[in-house]
Structures are given as C-alpha cells and as structure tokens.
C-alpha cells in the first residue's frame, strides 16, 4: 500500500520476534532496538505521519519524568498534523482494586497449546511509586503436562488527566479518546500542533 513501517522496542528479543513475523507474513517492516528516549538517535525529527504506542506500554516509562520524555521523543518524530495513537489501561481502576491475583476465566491459545493467563498485581501505596505486574502463562499439552512462563514487570501508573496534560506539554492535542472511568482500557489519538 506504499506505507513504510518501522517497529521499535527496548527489548532485543521483541525486535527479533517482530522481524521474524515480518518475514513470515511477507510484510516489509524495518525493526530497530531502541527505547523511547533513544528514538531521536535513530530517526530525524518530523519523520513520521503516525506513531503507535500500543499494548499498554507507556506505564513502563519510569515515573512522570520518564513518561514525559517518552512522549516528547514520540512527538518529535511526528510531522505537523501527524498523529500519536496510544492505548492504556485505566489505572484508576487498577489501583482501586489493590494488590491481587487475577486468573483469567477462559483458555487462550499460545504456541499451539491451551493456556491459562494469571496476573499478580503489586500495587504500591502511592501513585508515583514503582508498581509490579507478574504475568504467568500456564500452557497445558494434550498429555496434561503444564509448562509455565512468567515475567515480572515494573510499571509506573498515571491518571488519565495527567496523560492529557502531558500530551499537551509535548505539543500534542487530544483529538479522540475512548476513556471511560469504568472501562479496563482506552485509546487516545493526539495530533502534532
């Protein structure tokens, strides 16, 4: 379709997997290992028409300072009128529920096996403190053996109104939002001024 796509991630393993999938599906995707703050080292300012920050990833930026730096880097890459599409958890809900164990109520398919996904939330006392999410995927094969993969992730949650103010701070104007304080996730589209 004439669209040039670049995929970035701070994780070398994720960049490698993206390159493998790109090849597998015959999609032309350039992959780059870079965290948000390194993006301007790899791309000129005003390079892109759209930047996607999806998969609830912004909460991995360390605190408000890290989040603003990440948003600033993404904003710098956008042409005037370009759009940032961002997905987020509704952290107000996550924090209201407190520390807990969430076991999904249905099986998912991972690598050809049925699996149960478990989330263990460690909610810090204050918003600006480091929180943790451990995600475990328990895969069950036909013989009944279980293979468990687990990863502990750090995160720094934020309120919706903070995100809105930070987008404005880095030169982006909110165009669309699906934010609902009672919904689990939302999507924001912001344009470069």
């Amino acid at each position: 379709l004439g669209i040039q796509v670049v995929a970035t991630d701070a994780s070398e393993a994720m960049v490698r997997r993206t390159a493998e999938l790109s090849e597998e599906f015959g999609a032309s995707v350039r992959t780059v290992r870079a965290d948000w703050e390194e993006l301007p080292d790899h791309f000129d300012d005003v390079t892109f028409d759209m930047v996607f920050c999806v998969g609830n990833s912004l909460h991995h930026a360390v605190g408000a300072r890290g989040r603003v730096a990440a948003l600033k880097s993404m904003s710098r890459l956008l042409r005037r009128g370009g759009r940032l599409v961002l997905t987020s958890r509704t952290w107000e809900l996550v924090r209201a529920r407190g520390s807990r164990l969430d076991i999904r109520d249905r099986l998912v398919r991972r690598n050809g096996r049925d699996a149960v996904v478990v989330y263990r939330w460690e909610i810090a006392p204050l918003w600006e403190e480091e929180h943790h999410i451990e995600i475990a995927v328990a895969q069950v094969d036909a013989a009944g053996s279980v293979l468990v993969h687990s990863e502990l992730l750090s995160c720094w949650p934020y309120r919706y109104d903070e995100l809105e103010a930070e987008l404005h701070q880095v030169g982006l104007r909110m165009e669309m939002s699906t934010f609902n304080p009672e919904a689990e996730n939302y999507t924001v589209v912001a344009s470069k001024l």
Side-chain angles (χ1 to χ4, degrees):
L1 299 175
I3 298 171
Q4 295 177 349
V5 179
V6 179
T8 68
D9 199 285
S11 162
E12 186 63 47
M14 291 299 291
V15 169
R16 192 171 38 257
R17 181 66 179 134
T18 301
E20 291 167 0
L21 288 170
S22 171
E23 188 172 319
E24 181 181 326
F25 288 98
S28 178
V29 176
R30 177 179 161 210
T31 56
V32 176
R33 204 246 27 103
D35 65 30
W36 289 301
E37 293 177 24
E38 295 170 328
L39 291 174
D41 298 338
H42 293 275
F43 308 101
D44 293 332
D45 290 358
V46 301
T47 297
F48 297 100
D49 295 311
M50 296 196 79
V51 171
F52 293 87
C53 180
V54 295
N56 295 307
S57 59
L58 188 60
H59 66 262
H60 296 300
V62 179
R65 179 177 288 153
R67 196 169 50 252
V68 169
L71 291 169
K72 184 176 182 179
S73 290
M74 289 183 275
S75 178
R76 284 180 58 185
L77 297 180
L78 286 169
R79 294 183 176 110
R80 185 179 182 91
R83 291 179 173 83
L84 169 67
V85 178
L86 184 141
T87 62
S88 179
R89 294 184 190 283
T90 304
W91 286 101
E92 293 86 345
L93 280 180
V94 172
R95 283 192 45 86
R97 293 175 183 145
S99 295
R100 67 195 178 282
L101 189 66
D102 284 338
I103 302 172
R104 299 299 168 179
D105 60 357
R106 67 177 32 155
L107 295 175
V108 296
R109 200 86 172 136
R110 294 284 192 277
N111 300 321
R113 293 178 163 189
D114 287 332
V116 174
V117 180
V118 178
Y119 289 80
R120 183 178 60 84
W121 299 88
E122 286 181 25
I123 305 302
L126 302 175
W127 274 89
E128 60 275 5
E129 294 178 324
E130 182 177 4
H131 293 47
H132 293 100
I133 309 167
E134 183 173 14
I135 304 171
V137 178
Q139 298 175 310
V140 182
D141 68 16
S145 64
V146 178
L147 176 64
V148 178
H149 301 280
S150 174
E151 187 169 2
L152 181 64
L153 305 170
S154 294
C155 59
W156 288 264
Y158 47 88
R159 296 171 184 88
Y160 176 77
D161 59 345
E162 291 173 315
L163 175 62
E164 195 170 22
E166 290 162 354
L167 288 168
H168 181 74
Q169 180 182 339
V170 301
L172 297 169
R173 180 179 50 86
M174 185 92 68
E175 278 190 5
M176 187 280 296
S177 172
T178 63
F179 178 73
N180 174 338
E182 296 177 20
E184 296 293 323
N185 299 286
Y186 60 92
T187 300
V188 165
V189 178
S191 61
K192 177 80 173 269
L193 300 174

